[in-house]
Amino acid sequence: MSAPAEVPDLVARALDLSRRRGFITSTRSETGRLLATLAASRHGTLAELGTGCGVGSAWLSSGAPKGAHIVTAELDPGLAEDVQGIFHDASNVEVTCGDWTVLEQYAPFSLLFVDVRDVMASIDVMADLLEPGGIAVLDDFVPSAFWPPIVDGQVDTIREQWLTDERFAAVEMLIDPDASLIIATRR
């Protein structure tokens, strides 16, 4: 990766929490830098579905312009409390405890980071959460050299659906040799 090794302070604190909690599936730095870059172009409300230790939200916050509001929900009350501690000085980030549906009250979103595979399958709900021109970033895909995309001998129907839905202009991006993501903009 051709980027500085240093990460913003909030990201470093979230990564530290990830290490302490043994949470090894945090947002990759490549994905995080992309999130920060996209967040820099957004206004209004940005959201993360799948908080974990808050790494994705920390990247969003590091790029978001003043006035943008970031919301994220964590199902585990103890983890949500720990993540709230990371963002105690970040007035633009709100951590709630609950499943992802508690964030529906904050919609529409100008940027939505989805890191939960089951939620990605709800494309109609996700589309309704985005404002026109809003961007969804869907993480944690395994690259496929085939169309339709094949993973573990089966068609990846979630990826296929997002890449072909007429409500979105979408592209899959290789983040690492073993990881890709989808960026989908609501028409």
Side-chain angles (χ1 to χ4, degrees):
M1 176 175 78
S2 59
E6 299 82 27
V7 297
D9 183 56
L10 276 177
V11 174
R13 289 192 291 187
L15 288 170
D16 183 56
L17 175 61
S18 294
R19 281 187 290 276
R20 286 185 281 133
R21 286 287 203 129
F23 202 82
I24 59 169
T25 59
S26 295
T27 303
R28 295 170 182 255
S29 291
E30 297 87 351
T31 301
R33 291 186 190 287
L34 176 64
L35 288 174
T37 301
L38 292 172
S41 71
R42 306 278 90 193
H43 296 283
T45 305
L46 292 65
E48 178 183 25
L49 305 181
T51 304
C53 292
V55 177
S57 292
W59 278 110
L60 288 171
S61 179
S62 75
K66 288 188 186 290
H69 182 68
I70 299 160
V71 294
T72 187
E74 173 52 46
L75 191 56
D76 177 310
L79 186 54
E81 186 176 330
D82 287 348
V83 174
Q84 287 170 345
I86 291 170
F87 294 109
H88 69 279
D89 290 333
S91 61
N92 66 333
V93 179
E94 183 177 344
V95 180
T96 61
C97 185
D99 74 6
W100 69 270
T101 61
V102 303
L103 296 181
E104 290 177 313
Q105 65 186 312
Y106 298 96
F109 301 116
S110 64
L111 177 61
L112 179 60
F113 177 46
V114 185
D115 201 6
V116 179
R117 187 91 172 160
D118 292 343
V119 176
M120 292 176 201
S122 303
I123 192 169
D124 294 331
V125 175
M126 297 295 101
D128 289 343
L129 293 177
L130 287 167
E131 63 186 32
I135 299 171
V137 178
L138 310 156
D139 201 10
D140 294 334
F141 287 92
V142 175
S144 173
F146 306 100
W147 188 259
I150 306 291
V151 177
D152 295 329
Q154 297 185 13
V155 174
D156 184 343
T157 56
I158 294 173
R159 179 183 350 209
E160 181 182 39
Q161 186 175 16
W162 278 92
L163 292 172
T164 60
D165 191 296
E166 293 185 5
R167 293 173 289 186
F168 297 96
V171 64
E172 183 173 357
M173 293 183 60
L174 189 66
I175 295 299
D176 201 71
D178 65 343
S180 63
L181 56 76
I182 292 175
I183 300 175
T185 301
R186 183 81 159 93
R187 296 179 196 263

